[in-house]
Amino acid sequence: MVAGPLSISPIRRSVRPSPVFLAVVVAAVAGGVVAWTASSPTAVSARVGVFVLVFAGWIVTVCLHEFGHAYTAYRAGDREVELRGYLTLNPVKYSHPLLSIVLPVVFIAIGGIGLPGGAVYLRQGMFAPKAQRRISLAGPATNAIVAVVLLVVIRLFGTDGDHLAFWWGLSFLAFLQIMATVLNLLPVPGLDGYAALEPSLSYETRRALANFKAYGILILVAFLLVPQINAVFFGAIYWLFGLSGVPEIYAQYGNYLMRFWL
């Protein structure tokens, strides 16, 4: 049967971007406009604009990351994600106030580290191993896609020397997406890389590591605070960033401009 012109699929009816998400998108765009129209990259308006662009842009990508998990789970048969509001891209639905918002923002501000953000609670036991891996990897894949899109746009339009504050801010946001992709793929309990690996582990191993899931981000932070590990990790992220052809200094300047209070 051919659907009529007013027929809307269940998944399309369920995906409803929330006013909160749309407001964050507007804030990111507003920050971008302020950075774009700044008189110079050193102007106060440039720094404030970059801060808003990166901060709001980061929240937008956290929502997209978690939506990727939820949408894939919904397609795999978990209708509970709709009831929990996960298909609305509302950051409030995904967030633990401290671990999802405060801690990641603090680390972006003081060290340029894009920690994994929010979380969606899925009924993993209902999925076959292949589906669980697909659901787990959907979030990091979203970050990777965002990073590629941003870097392609910057490479094509942002290296001519005009509106530098805007392009530097966008470059730092792309840098954070690469970092979020890599961090989320690490096989640390509580992160997506471990969730993708978990179906292949024995029951005893899964049970033993279950207690560490709540502390995955904290474990990650502890390792990144080790200078030697930090240097190697950031070197790898800058190497991946450099593959785009966008100068590494763009991300470094964007990081500096975001911290407008310095």
Side-chain angles (χ1 to χ4, degrees), residues 150-152 154-155 159 171 241-251:
L150 291 178
L151 289 170
V152 168
I154 297 165
R155 183 71 178 83
T159 57
S171 296
F241 181 91
L243 294 177
S244 66
V246 177
E248 294 180 6
I249 197 70
Y250 271 40

Side-chain angles (χ1 to χ4, degrees), residues 32-45:
V33 170
V34 172
W36 180 274
T37 57
S39 58
S40 75
T42 59
V44 174
S45 60

Side-chain angles (χ1 to χ4, degrees), residues 17-259:
S18 72
V20 177
F21 174 77
L22 296 177
V24 178
V25 172
V26 170
V29 172
V33 170
V34 172
W36 180 274
T37 57
S39 58
S40 75
T42 59
V44 174
S45 60
R47 306 189 69 157
V48 173
V50 168
F51 175 82
V52 175
L53 168 63
V54 175
F55 175 64
W58 172 255
I59 295 177
V60 168
T61 59
V62 168
C63 294
L64 293 175
H65 174 109
E66 301 303 339
F67 175 82
H69 289 309
Y71 180 82
T72 309
Y74 185 92
R75 295 297 298 266
D78 185 357
R79 295 298 182 263
E80 192 171 299
V81 298
E82 180 182 3
L83 299 177
R84 292 179 178 270
Y86 292 160
L87 299 179
T88 65
L89 294 108
N90 187 341
V92 177
K93 300 294 184 180
Y94 305 137
S95 300
H96 180 289
L98 175 61
L99 297 180
S100 300
I101 301 295
V102 177
L103 193 63
V105 168
V106 167
F107 271 82
I108 288 173
I110 66 176
I113 301 174
L115 293 177
V120 295
Y121 299 95
L122 305 175
R123 297 179 292 168
Q124 294 182 339
M126 71 175 292
F127 303 116
K130 184 177 180 180
Q132 182 173 329
R133 293 188 185 96
R134 187 166 61 247
I135 293 166
S136 300
L137 296 176
T142 302
N143 290 113
I145 291 170
V146 172
V148 170
V149 170
L150 291 178
L151 289 170
V152 168
V153 170
I154 297 165
R155 183 71 178 83
L156 291 176
F157 305 107
T159 57
D160 59 1
D162 295 327
H163 309 288
L164 285 175
F166 172 80
W167 295 115
W168 291 347
L170 211 62
S171 296
F172 183 51
L173 183 58
F175 179 84
L176 292 175
Q177 299 310 304
I178 296 173
M179 187 180 300
T181 302
V182 173
L183 288 176
N184 272 292
L185 289 176
L186 294 176
V188 176
L191 300 184
D192 296 330
Y194 175 79
L197 179 66
E198 194 173 19
S200 303
L201 303 177
S202 67
Y203 172 77
E204 291 76 16
T205 302
R206 295 198 305 270
R207 184 176 180 181
L209 294 176
N211 294 328
F212 294 96
K213 287 185 177 181
Y215 307 103
I217 292 181
L218 299 180
I219 294 171
L220 209 57
V221 169
F223 275 104
L224 290 176
L225 291 178
V226 177
Q228 295 82 356
I229 296 177
N230 185 284
V232 172
F233 175 75
F234 270 88
I237 302 302
Y238 274 114
W239 179 79
L240 290 170
F241 181 91
L243 294 177
S244 66
V246 177
E248 294 180 6
I249 197 70
Y250 271 40
Q252 294 169 353
Y253 282 153
N255 185 11
Y256 172 74
L257 287 180
M258 186 198 170
R259 292 178 284 175

Side-chain angles (χ1 to χ4, degrees), residues 4-25:
L6 298 180
S7 176
I8 303 176
S9 68
I11 184 63
R12 289 182 62 188
R13 288 198 303 267
S14 301
V15 177
R16 304 181 306 276
S18 72
V20 177
F21 174 77
L22 296 177
V24 178
V25 172

